[in-house]
Amino acid sequence: MMRPDAKVEKVYLYPKPVDFRKSIDGLAALVELDIQVAVFDPALFVFLNRARNRVKILYWERNGFCLWLKRLEAERFKVPPEPGDEAIVLSAEELNWLLDGFDLWRNRPHRVLRPRYVA
């Protein structure tokens, strides 16, 4: 199985369906204008089509853009029940779960707590 293998610091899931006629330049513009993140940052930018049976992942690798595509033949990718206008930040592990068909929004793990002192 081949998956994007960039040094992933962040994964941004675009919250709205995307017209998949868009290629690298159109998706890069969505990153810069809507997500408001530098498209050259070490991050993966994930886009789903309206039918949620295709995913595109855009990322910069050393000297050029990479565009990764997966098309499902029978299933759909799971999305949040009420996506907002903000990009959803995922971990690389969560992205792999999404690509494998898990519903991240129904099966959320416990929150990570970062206490500053003992109560």
Side-chain angles (χ1 to χ4, degrees):
M1 180 181 332
M2 186 176 165
R3 301 239 170 132
D5 192 25
K7 298 290 182 224
V8 179
E9 289 185 9
K10 280 200 172 175
V11 177
Y12 295 92
L13 173 62
Y14 192 73
K16 303 173 220 163
V18 172
D19 179 350
F20 265 34
R21 291 176 291 185
K22 287 186 187 303
S23 194
I24 290 172
D25 294 335
L27 296 174
L30 289 178
V31 169
E32 294 279 336
L33 298 172
D34 285 5
I35 300 177
Q36 297 183 345
V37 172
V39 74
F40 303 108
D41 282 0
L44 301 179
F45 302 98
V46 181
F47 303 90
L48 295 169
N49 65 343
R50 186 167 304 284
R52 296 191 332 265
N53 65 343
R54 294 179 189 205
V55 63
K56 281 187 177 182
I57 301 175
L58 176 70
Y59 58 100
W60 177 261
E61 185 179 65
R62 293 181 3 143
N63 57 0
F65 282 106
C66 297
L67 186 60
W68 189 86
L69 170 74
K70 181 173 183 174
R71 181 183 74 193
L72 298 178
E73 297 301 322
E75 304 275 340
R76 293 178 185 265
F77 292 105
K78 308 298 190 268
V79 295
E82 297 176 21
D85 290 333
E86 299 285 318
I88 300 158
V89 178
L90 303 175
S91 68
E93 185 176 41
E94 288 172 324
L95 171 61
N96 280 311
W97 292 339
L98 177 77
L99 294 173
D100 288 336
F102 290 97
D103 187 336
L104 302 177
W105 294 272
R106 287 195 178 171
N107 301 311
R108 295 302 285 180
H110 293 147
R111 290 181 299 140
V112 174
L113 298 179
R114 302 198 193 301
R116 303 218 185 270
Y117 56 88
V118 177

